[in-house]
Amino acid sequence: MLTHPTPAPHVLTGSGRVGRVVVGVGARAGVAADEVLGLVRAVLAEAGAGAGDLVALATVDAKGREPGLVRAAEVLGVPVETYPAERLAAVPVPHPSERVRGAVGTPSVAEAAALVRGGRLLVAKRVSAGAGGAPGRVTCAAARTG
């Protein structure tokens, strides 16, 4: 189950594909690669994008070496791009969080990291479903790069 189930405004290129997509990822320490992969794939599908459209997973510097995130990027064949919290904090997002600001220094990781290169948000922040109904440990958002 994903949060914010608003339909994505698909942006198609002339080829009928979404184009170059960056998925911003926020993750709690110790998150499993399978949880990251599950949500990234769900967000790509919601955006009308495929794995071939994905150009990077992006996150805040503090999460750039998180093993589950790094492993997910390896499986997907894309790099992990990291950005300082101050840079992400300067990106306007639709769903800022004071809790996230307190934890990592920016009110958004997933949406801001997806949008930091510019472009258009295709899928707003989604949260993974945790095991046994527990809160998920991953957030993702997708943007078409500018």
Side-chain angles (χ1 to χ4, degrees), residues 3-76:
T3 62
H4 303 294
T6 307
H10 298 127
V11 179
L12 300 176
T13 64
S15 66
R17 296 184 58 153
V18 171
R20 298 170 46 91
V21 175
V22 172
V23 172
V25 181
R28 293 190 184 187
V31 69
D34 287 343
E35 188 171 348
V36 176
L37 285 166
L39 188 58
V40 168
R41 288 175 174 147
V43 165
L44 286 172
E46 186 177 346
D53 298 308
L54 183 64
V55 296
L57 298 183
T59 194
V60 66
D61 284 344
K63 299 296 179 176
R65 295 185 187 270
E66 185 61 45
L69 177 57
V70 171
R71 179 66 186 136
E74 289 171 354
V75 169
L76 294 165

Side-chain angles (χ1 to χ4, degrees), residues 1 7 51 58 60 64 70 78-80 82 85 88 91-92 94 103 108 117 120 128 133 142:
M1 172 182 279
V60 66
V70 171
V78 297
V80 174
T82 63
L88 295 180
V91 178
S108 172
R117 289 179 170 199
R120 178 176 174 177
S128 63

